[in-house]
Amino acid sequence: MKTWTDDLPQIPFAYRDLPEGGEWMTREEAASSLGIGELHLNALLMNTHRIAMVRTTTGRELAVTRASVEAEKQWRATASHWHKALRLLKDTLKAL
């Protein structure tokens, strides 16, 4: 069965260098901005890759892009309860 992702290029997930300016925030700031804990943010980062992760030039610190955090906030504000429950189910199955 063909899905909508079949024609997309297969690009492996990779950390990117930090964008210039204020286009990124720490994971703590992102969790605070979304109103969730860091454990929940880490689950979003690892299971769904909806929030884009970047690394500092030293490679020791990880951060997230502001645009992806804003997109997540928008989705949370507009998604129905059904879509939220479906996403939770999918994320749980991916984690197993």
Side-chain angles (χ1 to χ4, degrees):
M1 174 185 244
K2 187 172 180 172
T3 66
W4 67 273
T5 58
D6 288 345
D7 295 328
L8 295 176
Q10 298 297 314
I11 302 170
F13 177 74
Y15 297 116
R16 299 185 312 263
D17 288 331
L18 284 175
E20 293 298 319
E23 298 176 10
W24 61 277
M25 61 176 62
T26 65
R27 293 186 316 188
E28 294 82 13
E29 290 171 337
S32 176
S33 176
L34 290 170
I36 59 176
E38 285 187 56
L39 183 61
H40 190 176
L41 179 70
N42 288 338
L44 281 174
L45 291 169
M46 299 306 158
N47 290 338
T48 63
H49 304 292
R50 286 186 179 91
I51 298 180
M53 196 180 313
V54 292
R55 65 185 157 117
T56 60
T57 53
T58 62
R60 294 183 182 165
E61 259 185 273
L62 296 175
V64 295
T65 61
R66 278 189 198 281
S68 63
V69 172
E70 291 303 318
E72 178 68 15
K73 284 169 74 172
Q74 178 67 24
W75 184 86
R76 288 171 177 262
T78 59
S80 68
H81 292 295
W82 170 251
H83 286 109
K84 290 177 182 178
L86 185 60
R87 178 176 167 181
L88 177 63
L89 178 64
K90 282 197 254 183
D91 291 350
T92 302
L93 291 175
K94 282 183 185 179
L96 297 178

Coordinates of all heavy atoms in Angstrom, one line a residue:
M1 N 0.8 -1.2 0.0 CA 0.0 0.0 0.0 C 0.9 1.2 0.0 O 1.8 1.4 0.8 CB -0.9 0.0 1.2 CG -1.7 1.2 1.4 SD -2.6 1.2 2.9 CE -4.3 1.3 2.3
K2 N 0.6 2.1 -0.9 CA 1.4 3.4 -1.0 C 0.9 4.4 0.0 O -0.3 4.6 0.1 CB 1.4 3.9 -2.4 CG 2.3 5.0 -2.7 CD 2.3 5.4 -4.2 CE 3.2 6.5 -4.4 NZ 3.5 6.8 -5.7
T3 N 1.8 5.1 0.7 CA 1.4 6.2 1.6 C 1.9 7.5 1.0 O 2.7 7.5 0.1 CB 2.0 5.9 3.0 OG1 3.4 6.0 2.9 CG2 1.6 4.6 3.5
W4 N 1.5 8.6 1.7 CA 1.9 9.9 1.2 C 3.4 10.1 1.4 O 4.0 11.0 0.7 CB 1.1 11.0 1.9 CG 1.4 11.1 3.3 CD1 0.8 10.4 4.3 CD2 2.3 12.0 3.9 NE1 1.3 10.8 5.5 CE2 2.2 11.8 5.3 CE3 3.2 12.9 3.5 CZ2 3.0 12.4 6.2 CZ3 4.0 13.6 4.4 CH2 3.9 13.4 5.8
T5 N 4.1 9.4 2.2 CA 5.5 9.6 2.5 C 6.4 8.8 1.5 O 7.6 9.0 1.5 CB 5.9 9.2 3.9 OG1 5.5 7.8 4.1 CG2 5.2 10.0 4.9
D6 N 5.8 8.0 0.7 CA 6.7 7.2 -0.2 C 7.5 8.0 -1.2 O 8.6 7.6 -1.6 CB 5.8 6.2 -1.0 CG 5.3 5.1 -0.1 OD1 5.8 4.9 1.0 OD2 4.3 4.4 -0.5
D7 N 7.0 9.1 -1.7 CA 7.7 9.9 -2.7 C 8.6 10.9 -2.1 O 9.3 11.6 -2.8 CB 6.7 10.6 -3.6 CG 5.9 9.6 -4.4 OD1 6.4 8.5 -4.8 OD2 4.7 9.9 -4.7
L8 N 8.6 11.0 -0.8 CA 9.5 12.0 -0.1 C 10.9 11.4 -0.1 O 11.1 10.2 0.1 CB 9.0 12.3 1.3 CG 7.7 13.0 1.4 CD1 7.3 13.1 2.9 CD2 7.7 14.3 0.7
P9 N 11.9 12.3 -0.2 CA 13.3 11.8 -0.1 C 13.6 11.3 1.3 O 13.1 11.8 2.3 CB 14.2 13.0 -0.4 CG 13.3 14.2 -0.1 CD 11.9 13.7 -0.4
Q10 N 14.3 10.2 1.4 CA 14.6 9.6 2.7 C 15.9 10.2 3.3 O 17.0 9.9 2.8 CB 14.8 8.1 2.6 CG 13.5 7.4 2.1 CD 12.4 7.5 3.1 OE1 12.6 7.3 4.3 NE2 11.2 7.9 2.6
I11 N 15.7 11.1 4.2 CA 16.9 11.8 4.8 C 17.0 11.4 6.2 O 16.0 11.6 7.0 CB 16.7 13.4 4.7 CG1 16.5 13.8 3.2 CG2 17.8 14.1 5.3 CD1 16.1 15.2 3.0
P12 N 18.1 10.8 6.6 CA 18.2 10.4 8.0 C 18.3 11.6 8.9 O 18.7 12.7 8.6 CB 19.6 9.7 8.0 CG 20.3 10.2 6.9 CD 19.3 10.6 5.8
F13 N 17.7 11.4 10.2 CA 17.7 12.5 11.1 C 19.2 12.8 11.5 O 20.0 12.0 11.8 CB 16.9 12.1 12.4 CG 16.9 13.1 13.5 CD1 16.2 14.2 13.4 CD2 17.7 12.9 14.6 CE1 16.2 15.2 14.4 CE2 17.7 13.8 15.6 CZ 17.0 15.0 15.5
A14 N 19.5 14.1 11.6 CA 20.8 14.5 12.0 C 20.7 15.9 12.7 O 19.9 16.7 12.4 CB 21.7 14.7 10.7
Y15 N 21.6 16.1 13.6 CA 21.7 17.4 14.3 C 22.3 18.4 13.3 O 23.1 18.1 12.5 CB 22.6 17.3 15.5 CG 22.0 16.3 16.5 CD1 22.7 15.2 16.9 CD2 20.8 16.6 17.2 CE1 22.3 14.3 17.8 CE2 20.3 15.7 18.1 CZ 21.0 14.6 18.4 OH 20.6 13.7 19.4
R16 N 21.8 19.6 13.4 CA 22.3 20.7 12.5 C 23.0 21.7 13.4 O 22.8 21.8 14.6 CB 21.1 21.4 11.8 CG 20.3 20.5 10.9 CD 19.3 21.3 10.2 NE 18.5 22.2 11.0 CZ 17.3 21.9 11.5 NH1 16.8 20.7 11.2 NH2 16.6 22.7 12.2
D17 N 23.9 22.4 12.8 CA 24.6 23.5 13.6 C 23.6 24.6 13.9 O 22.6 24.8 13.2 CB 25.7 24.1 12.7 CG 26.9 23.2 12.6 OD1 27.1 22.4 13.6 OD2 27.6 23.2 11.6
L18 N 23.8 25.3 15.0 CA 22.9 26.3 15.4 C 22.7 27.4 14.4 O 23.7 27.9 13.8 CB 23.4 27.0 16.7 CG 23.2 26.1 18.0 CD1 23.9 26.9 19.1 CD2 21.8 25.9 18.3
P19 N 21.5 27.8 14.1 CA 21.2 28.9 13.2 C 21.7 30.2 13.9 O 21.8 30.3 15.1 CB 19.7 28.9 13.0 CG 19.2 27.8 13.8 CD 20.2 27.2 14.6
E20 N 22.0 31.2 13.1 CA 22.4 32.5 13.7 C 21.2 33.2 14.3 O 20.1 33.0 13.9 CB 23.1 33.3 12.6 CG 24.4 32.8 12.0 CD 25.4 32.7 13.1 OE1 25.5 33.6 13.9 OE2 26.1 31.7 13.1
G21 N 21.5 34.2 15.1 CA 20.5 35.0 15.7 C 19.7 34.3 16.8 O 20.2 33.3 17.3
G22 N 18.5 34.7 17.1 CA 17.7 34.1 18.1 C 16.8 33.1 17.6 O 15.6 33.0 18.1
E23 N 17.2 32.3 16.6 CA 16.3 31.3 16.0 C 16.3 30.0 16.8 O 15.7 29.0 16.3 CB 16.8 31.0 14.6 CG 16.7 32.3 13.7 CD 17.2 32.0 12.3 OE1 17.5 30.9 12.0 OE2 17.3 33.0 11.6
W24 N 16.9 29.9 17.9 CA 17.0 28.7 18.7 C 16.8 29.0 20.2 O 16.9 30.1 20.6 CB 18.3 27.9 18.4 CG 19.5 28.7 18.9 CD1 20.2 29.6 18.1 CD2 20.1 28.6 20.1 NE1 21.2 30.1 18.9 CE2 21.2 29.5 20.1 CE3 20.0 27.8 21.3 CZ2 22.1 29.7 21.2 CZ3 20.8 28.0 22.3 CH2 21.9 28.9 22.3
M25 N 16.5 27.9 20.9 CA 16.3 28.0 22.4 C 16.8 26.7 23.0 O 16.9 25.7 22.4 CB 14.9 28.4 22.8 CG 13.9 27.4 22.4 SD 12.2 27.7 22.9 CE 11.8 29.2 22.1
T26 N 17.1 26.8 24.3 CA 17.5 25.6 25.0 C 16.3 24.7 25.2 O 15.2 25.1 25.1 CB 18.1 26.0 26.4 OG1 17.1 26.5 27.2 CG2 19.3 26.9 26.2
R27 N 16.6 23.5 25.5 CA 15.5 22.5 25.7 C 14.7 22.9 27.0 O 13.5 22.7 27.0 CB 16.1 21.1 25.9 CG 16.7 20.6 24.6 CD 17.2 19.2 24.7 NE 17.9 18.9 26.0 CZ 18.5 17.7 26.2 NH1 18.5 16.8 25.3 NH2 19.1 17.5 27.3
E28 N 15.3 23.5 28.0 CA 14.6 24.0 29.1 C 13.6 25.1 28.8 O 12.5 25.1 29.2 CB 15.6 24.4 30.2 CG 16.4 23.3 30.8 CD 17.7 23.0 30.0 OE1 18.0 23.8 29.0 OE2 18.3 22.0 30.2
E29 N 14.1 26.0 27.9 CA 13.2 27.1 27.5 C 12.1 26.6 26.7 O 11.0 27.1 26.8 CB 14.0 28.2 26.7 CG 15.0 29.0 27.5 CD 15.9 29.8 26.6 OE1 16.1 29.5 25.4 OE2 16.5 30.8 27.1
A30 N 12.4 25.6 25.8 CA 11.3 25.1 25.0 C 10.3 24.4 25.8 O 9.1 24.5 25.5 CB 12.0 24.1 24.0
A31 N 10.7 23.6 26.8 CA 9.7 22.9 27.6 C 8.9 23.9 28.4 O 7.7 23.7 28.5 CB 10.5 22.0 28.6
S32 N 9.5 24.9 28.9 CA 8.8 26.0 29.6 C 7.8 26.7 28.7 O 6.7 27.0 29.1 CB 9.8 27.0 30.2 OG 9.1 28.0 30.8
S33 N 8.2 27.0 27.5 CA 7.4 27.7 26.5 C 6.1 26.8 26.1 O 5.1 27.3 25.9 CB 8.2 28.0 25.2 OG 7.4 28.5 24.2
L34 N 6.3 25.5 26.0 CA 5.2 24.6 25.7 C 4.4 24.2 26.9 O 3.3 23.7 26.8 CB 5.8 23.3 25.1 CG 6.4 23.5 23.7 CD1 7.1 22.2 23.3 CD2 5.3 23.8 22.7
G35 N 4.9 24.5 28.1 CA 4.2 24.2 29.3 C 4.2 22.7 29.7 O 3.3 22.2 30.2
I36 N 5.3 22.1 29.3 CA 5.5 20.7 29.6 C 6.8 20.5 30.3 O 7.7 21.4 30.4 CB 5.5 19.8 28.3 CG1 6.6 20.2 27.3 CG2 4.1 19.9 27.6 CD1 6.7 19.4 26.1
G37 N 7.0 19.3 30.8 CA 8.3 19.0 31.5 C 9.4 18.6 30.5 O 9.1 18.3 29.3
E38 N 10.6 18.6 31.0 CA 11.7 18.2 30.1 C 11.6 16.7 29.6 O 12.0 16.4 28.5 CB 13.0 18.5 30.8 CG 13.4 19.9 30.8 CD 14.8 20.1 31.4 OE1 15.7 19.6 30.8 OE2 14.9 20.9 32.4
L39 N 11.1 15.9 30.5 CA 10.9 14.5 30.1 C 10.0 14.3 28.9 O 10.2 13.6 28.0 CB 10.4 13.6 31.3 CG 10.3 12.1 31.1 CD1 11.6 11.5 30.7 CD2 9.7 11.5 32.3
H40 N 8.9 15.1 29.0 CA 7.9 15.1 27.9 C 8.5 15.7 26.6 O 8.3 15.2 25.5 CB 6.6 15.9 28.3 CG 5.5 15.8 27.4 ND1 4.3 16.3 27.7 CD2 5.3 15.1 26.2 CE1 3.5 16.1 26.7 NE2 4.1 15.4 25.8
L41 N 9.3 16.7 26.8 CA 9.9 17.3 25.6 C 10.9 16.3 25.0 O 11.0 16.2 23.8 CB 10.7 18.6 26.0 CG 11.4 19.3 24.8 CD1 10.4 19.9 23.8 CD2 12.4 20.3 25.3
N42 N 11.7 15.6 25.8 CA 12.6 14.6 25.3 C 11.9 13.5 24.5 O 12.3 13.0 23.5 CB 13.4 14.0 26.4 CG 14.4 15.0 27.0 OD1 14.8 15.9 26.3 ND2 14.9 14.8 28.2
A43 N 10.7 13.1 25.0 CA 9.9 12.1 24.3 C 9.4 12.7 23.0 O 9.5 12.0 22.0 CB 8.6 11.8 25.2
L44 N 9.1 14.0 22.9 CA 8.7 14.6 21.6 C 9.9 14.6 20.7 O 9.8 14.3 19.5 CB 8.2 16.0 21.8 CG 6.8 16.2 22.2 CD1 6.5 17.6 22.5 CD2 5.8 15.6 21.2
L45 N 11.1 14.9 21.2 CA 12.3 14.9 20.4 C 12.7 13.6 19.8 O 13.0 13.4 18.7 CB 13.4 15.5 21.2 CG 13.3 17.0 21.6 CD1 14.4 17.3 22.6 CD2 13.5 17.9 20.3
M46 N 12.6 12.6 20.7 CA 13.1 11.3 20.3 C 12.1 10.4 19.5 O 12.4 9.7 18.6 CB 13.6 10.5 21.5 CG 14.7 11.2 22.2 SD 16.1 11.5 21.1 CE 16.9 12.8 22.0
N47 N 10.8 10.5 19.9 CA 9.8 9.6 19.3 C 9.2 10.2 18.0 O 9.0 9.5 17.1 CB 8.7 9.4 20.2 CG 9.1 8.5 21.4 OD1 10.1 7.8 21.3 ND2 8.4 8.5 22.5
T48 N 9.0 11.5 17.9 CA 8.3 12.0 16.8 C 9.1 12.9 15.9 O 8.7 13.1 14.8 CB 7.1 12.9 17.3 OG1 7.6 14.0 18.1 CG2 6.2 12.0 18.2
H49 N 10.2 13.5 16.4 CA 11.0 14.4 15.6 C 10.2 15.6 15.1 O 10.5 16.1 14.1 CB 11.7 13.7 14.5 CG 12.5 12.6 14.9 ND1 13.7 12.7 15.7 CD2 12.4 11.2 14.7 CE1 14.2 11.5 15.9 NE2 13.4 10.6 15.4
R50 N 9.1 16.0 15.8 CA 8.4 17.1 15.4 C 9.1 18.4 15.7 O 8.8 19.5 15.1 CB 7.0 17.1 16.0 CG 6.1 16.1 15.4 CD 4.7 16.2 16.0 NE 3.8 15.2 15.4 CZ 3.7 14.0 15.9 NH1 4.3 13.6 17.0 NH2 2.9 13.2 15.3
I51 N 9.9 18.4 16.7 CA 10.7 19.6 17.1 C 12.1 19.4 16.7 O 12.7 18.4 17.0 CB 10.6 19.8 18.7 CG1 9.1 20.0 19.1 CG2 11.5 20.9 19.1 CD1 8.9 20.2 20.5
A52 N 12.6 20.3 15.9 CA 13.9 20.2 15.2 C 15.0 20.5 16.3 O 14.9 21.5 17.0 CB 14.0 21.1 14.1
M53 N 15.9 19.5 16.4 CA 17.0 19.7 17.3 C 18.3 20.2 16.6 O 18.5 19.8 15.5 CB 17.3 18.3 18.0 CG 18.2 18.5 19.2 SD 18.5 16.9 20.0 CE 17.0 16.1 20.1
V54 N 19.0 21.1 17.3 CA 20.2 21.6 16.7 C 21.3 21.4 17.8 O 21.0 21.2 18.9 CB 20.1 23.1 16.3 CG1 19.2 23.2 15.1 CG2 19.6 23.9 17.4
R55 N 22.6 21.5 17.4 CA 23.6 21.4 18.4 C 24.5 22.7 18.3 O 24.6 23.4 17.3 CB 24.5 20.2 18.1 CG 25.3 20.3 16.8 CD 26.0 19.0 16.5 NE 26.2 19.0 15.1 CZ 27.4 18.9 14.5 NH1 28.5 19.0 15.3 NH2 27.5 18.9 13.2
T56 N 25.1 23.0 19.4 CA 26.0 24.1 19.5 C 27.3 23.8 18.7 O 27.6 22.7 18.4 CB 26.4 24.4 21.0 OG1 27.0 23.3 21.5 CG2 25.1 24.8 21.8
T57 N 28.1 24.8 18.5 CA 29.3 24.6 17.7 C 30.3 23.8 18.5 O 31.1 23.1 17.9 CB 29.9 26.0 17.4 OG1 30.1 26.7 18.6 CG2 29.1 26.7 16.4
T58 N 30.2 23.7 19.8 CA 31.1 22.9 20.6 C 30.6 21.4 20.5 O 31.3 20.5 20.8 CB 31.2 23.3 22.0 OG1 29.9 23.2 22.6 CG2 31.7 24.7 22.1
G59 N 29.3 21.2 20.2 CA 28.8 19.9 20.1 C 28.4 19.3 21.4 O 27.9 18.2 21.5
R60 N 28.5 20.1 22.5 CA 28.2 19.6 23.8 C 26.8 19.9 24.3 O 26.2 19.2 25.1 CB 29.2 20.2 24.8 CG 30.6 19.7 24.6 CD 31.5 20.2 25.7 NE 32.9 19.8 25.4 CZ 33.9 20.3 25.9 NH1 33.8 21.3 26.8 NH2 35.1 19.9 25.6
E61 N 26.2 20.9 23.7 CA 24.9 21.3 24.1 C 23.9 21.1 23.0 O 24.3 21.2 21.8 CB 24.9 22.8 24.4 CG 24.9 23.2 25.9 CD 24.7 24.7 26.0 OE1 25.7 25.4 26.0 OE2 23.6 25.1 26.2
L62 N 22.7 20.7 23.3 CA 21.6 20.5 22.3 C 20.6 21.6 22.5 O 20.3 22.0 23.7 CB 21.0 19.2 22.5 CG 21.9 18.0 22.2 CD1 21.1 16.7 22.5 CD2 22.4 18.0 20.8
A63 N 20.0 22.1 21.5 CA 19.0 23.1 21.5 C 17.9 22.8 20.5 O 18.1 21.8 19.7 CB 19.6 24.5 21.2
V64 N 16.9 23.5 20.5 CA 15.8 23.3 19.5 C 15.5 24.6 18.8 O 15.7 25.7 19.3 CB 14.5 22.8 20.2 CG1 14.7 21.4 20.8 CG2 14.0 23.7 21.3
T65 N 14.9 24.5 17.6 CA 14.6 25.7 16.8 C 13.3 26.3 17.3 O 12.4 25.6 17.7 CB 14.5 25.4 15.3 OG1 13.4 24.5 15.1 CG2 15.8 24.8 14.8
R66 N 13.3 27.7 17.3 CA 12.1 28.4 17.7 C 10.9 28.1 16.8 O 9.8 28.0 17.3 CB 12.3 29.9 17.7 CG 13.0 30.4 19.0 CD 13.0 31.9 19.0 NE 14.0 32.3 19.9 CZ 13.9 32.3 21.3 NH1 12.7 32.0 21.8 NH2 14.8 32.7 22.1
A67 N 11.2 28.0 15.5 CA 10.1 27.7 14.6 C 9.4 26.4 14.8 O 8.2 26.3 14.8 CB 10.7 27.7 13.1
S68 N 10.2 25.4 15.2 CA 9.5 24.1 15.5 C 8.7 24.1 16.8 O 7.7 23.5 16.9 CB 10.6 23.0 15.5 OG 11.5 23.2 16.6
V69 N 9.2 24.9 17.8 CA 8.5 25.0 19.0 C 7.2 25.8 18.8 O 6.1 25.4 19.3 CB 9.3 25.7 20.1 CG1 8.5 26.1 21.3 CG2 10.5 24.8 20.5
E70 N 7.2 26.9 18.0 CA 6.0 27.6 17.6 C 5.0 26.8 16.9 O 3.8 26.9 17.1 CB 6.4 28.9 16.8 CG 7.1 29.9 17.7 CD 6.4 30.4 18.9 OE1 5.1 30.6 18.8 OE2 7.0 30.5 20.0
A71 N 5.5 25.9 15.9 CA 4.6 25.0 15.2 C 4.0 24.0 16.1 O 2.8 23.7 16.0 CB 5.4 24.3 14.1
E72 N 4.7 23.5 17.1 CA 4.1 22.6 18.1 C 3.1 23.3 18.9 O 2.0 22.7 19.2 CB 5.2 22.0 19.0 CG 4.7 21.1 20.0 CD 4.2 19.8 19.5 OE1 4.4 19.4 18.4 OE2 3.5 19.1 20.3
K73 N 3.3 24.5 19.3 CA 2.4 25.3 20.1 C 1.1 25.5 19.3 O 0.0 25.4 19.8 CB 2.9 26.6 20.6 CG 3.9 26.5 21.7 CD 4.7 27.8 22.0 CE 3.9 28.9 22.6 NZ 4.7 30.0 23.0
Q74 N 1.2 25.8 18.0 CA 0.1 26.0 17.2 C -0.7 24.8 17.0 O -1.9 24.8 17.1 CB 0.6 26.5 15.8 CG -0.5 26.7 14.8 CD -1.5 27.9 15.1 OE1 -1.1 28.8 15.9 NE2 -2.7 27.8 14.6
W75 N 0.0 23.6 16.8 CA -0.7 22.3 16.7 C -1.5 22.0 18.0 O -2.7 21.6 17.9 CB 0.3 21.2 16.4 CG -0.5 19.9 16.2 CD1 -1.0 19.5 15.0 CD2 -0.8 18.9 17.1 NE1 -1.6 18.3 15.2 CE2 -1.5 17.9 16.5 CE3 -0.5 18.8 18.5 CZ2 -1.9 16.8 17.1 CZ3 -0.9 17.7 19.2 CH2 -1.6 16.6 18.5
R76 N -0.9 22.2 19.1 CA -1.5 22.0 20.4 C -2.8 22.8 20.6 O -3.7 22.4 21.2 CB -0.6 22.2 21.6 CG 0.5 21.1 21.7 CD 1.5 21.5 22.7 NE 2.5 20.4 22.8 CZ 2.4 19.5 23.8 NH1 1.5 19.5 24.7 NH2 3.3 18.5 23.8
A77 N -2.7 24.1 20.1 CA -3.8 25.0 20.3 C -5.0 24.7 19.4 O -6.1 24.9 19.7 CB -3.4 26.4 20.1
T78 N -4.7 24.1 18.2 CA -5.8 23.9 17.2 C -6.2 22.4 17.0 O -7.3 22.2 16.4 CB -5.3 24.4 15.9 OG1 -4.2 23.8 15.4 CG2 -5.1 25.9 15.9
A79 N -5.5 21.5 17.5 CA -5.8 20.1 17.3 C -7.0 19.7 18.2 O -7.1 20.1 19.3 CB -4.6 19.2 17.6
S80 N -7.8 18.8 17.6 CA -9.0 18.3 18.4 C -8.5 17.2 19.4 O -7.4 16.7 19.3 CB -10.0 17.7 17.4 OG -9.4 16.5 16.8
H81 N -9.4 16.9 20.3 CA -9.1 15.9 21.3 C -8.8 14.5 20.6 O -7.9 13.8 21.0 CB -10.2 15.7 22.3 CG -10.3 16.9 23.2 ND1 -9.4 17.3 24.1 CD2 -11.3 17.8 23.3 CE1 -9.8 18.3 24.7 NE2 -11.0 18.7 24.3
W82 N -9.5 14.2 19.5 CA -9.3 13.0 18.7 C -7.9 13.0 18.2 O -7.2 11.9 18.2 CB -10.4 12.9 17.6 CG -10.1 11.8 16.7 CD1 -9.7 11.9 15.4 CD2 -10.2 10.4 16.9 NE1 -9.6 10.7 14.8 CE2 -9.8 9.8 15.7 CE3 -10.5 9.6 18.0 CZ2 -9.8 8.4 15.6 CZ3 -10.5 8.3 17.9 CH2 -10.2 7.6 16.7
H83 N -7.5 14.0 17.5 CA -6.1 14.1 17.0 C -5.0 14.0 18.0 O -4.0 13.3 17.8 CB -5.9 15.4 16.1 CG -6.6 15.3 14.8 ND1 -7.7 16.1 14.6 CD2 -6.4 14.6 13.7 CE1 -8.2 15.9 13.4 NE2 -7.4 15.0 12.8
K84 N -5.3 14.6 19.2 CA -4.3 14.4 20.3 C -4.2 13.0 20.8 O -3.1 12.5 21.0 CB -4.6 15.4 21.4 CG -4.4 16.9 21.0 CD -4.9 17.8 22.1 CE -4.7 19.2 21.7 NZ -5.1 20.2 22.8
A85 N -5.4 12.4 20.9 CA -5.4 11.0 21.4 C -4.7 10.0 20.3 O -4.0 9.1 20.7 CB -6.8 10.5 21.6
L86 N -5.0 10.3 19.1 CA -4.4 9.5 18.0 C -2.8 9.7 18.0 O -2.1 8.7 17.8 CB -5.0 9.9 16.6 CG -4.5 9.1 15.4 CD1 -4.9 7.6 15.6 CD2 -5.1 9.6 14.2
R87 N -2.4 10.9 18.2 CA -0.9 11.1 18.2 C -0.3 10.5 19.4 O 0.8 9.9 19.3 CB -0.7 12.7 18.3 CG 0.7 13.0 18.4 CD 0.8 14.5 18.3 NE 2.1 15.0 18.7 CZ 2.5 16.3 18.8 NH1 1.6 17.2 18.5 NH2 3.7 16.6 19.2
L88 N -1.0 10.5 20.6 CA -0.5 9.8 21.7 C -0.3 8.3 21.5 O 0.7 7.7 21.9 CB -1.4 10.1 23.0 CG -1.0 9.4 24.2 CD1 0.4 9.9 24.7 CD2 -2.0 9.6 25.3
L89 N -1.3 7.7 20.9 CA -1.3 6.3 20.6 C -0.1 6.0 19.6 O 0.6 5.0 19.8 CB -2.6 5.9 19.9 CG -2.7 4.4 19.5 CD1 -2.6 3.5 20.7 CD2 -4.0 4.2 18.8
K90 N 0.0 6.8 18.6 CA 1.1 6.5 17.6 C 2.5 6.7 18.3 O 3.4 5.9 18.1 CB 1.0 7.5 16.5 CG 0.0 7.2 15.4 CD 0.3 7.9 14.1 CE -0.7 9.0 14.0 NZ -0.5 9.8 12.7
D91 N 2.6 7.7 19.1 CA 3.9 7.9 19.8 C 4.2 6.8 20.8 O 5.3 6.4 20.9 CB 3.9 9.3 20.5 CG 3.9 10.4 19.6 OD1 4.1 10.2 18.4 OD2 3.7 11.6 20.0
T92 N 3.2 6.3 21.4 CA 3.3 5.2 22.4 C 3.8 3.9 21.6 O 4.7 3.2 22.1 CB 2.0 4.9 23.2 OG1 1.7 6.1 23.8 CG2 2.2 3.8 24.2
L93 N 3.1 3.6 20.5 CA 3.5 2.5 19.7 C 4.9 2.6 19.2 O 5.6 1.6 19.1 CB 2.5 2.2 18.6 CG 1.1 1.8 19.0 CD1 0.2 1.7 17.9 CD2 1.1 0.5 19.8
K94 N 5.3 3.8 18.8 CA 6.7 3.9 18.3 C 7.7 3.7 19.4 O 8.8 3.2 19.2 CB 6.9 5.4 17.8 CG 6.4 5.6 16.4 CD 6.7 7.0 15.9 CE 6.0 7.3 14.6 NZ 6.3 8.7 14.2
A95 N 7.4 4.0 20.6 CA 8.3 3.9 21.7 C 8.5 2.4 22.2 O 9.5 2.1 22.8 CB 7.8 4.7 22.9
L96 N 7.5 1.6 21.8 CA 7.7 0.2 22.2 C 8.7 -0.5 21.4 O 9.3 -0.8 20.7 CB 6.3 -0.5 22.1 CG 5.2 0.0 23.0 CD1 3.9 -0.7 22.7 CD2 5.6 -0.1 24.5

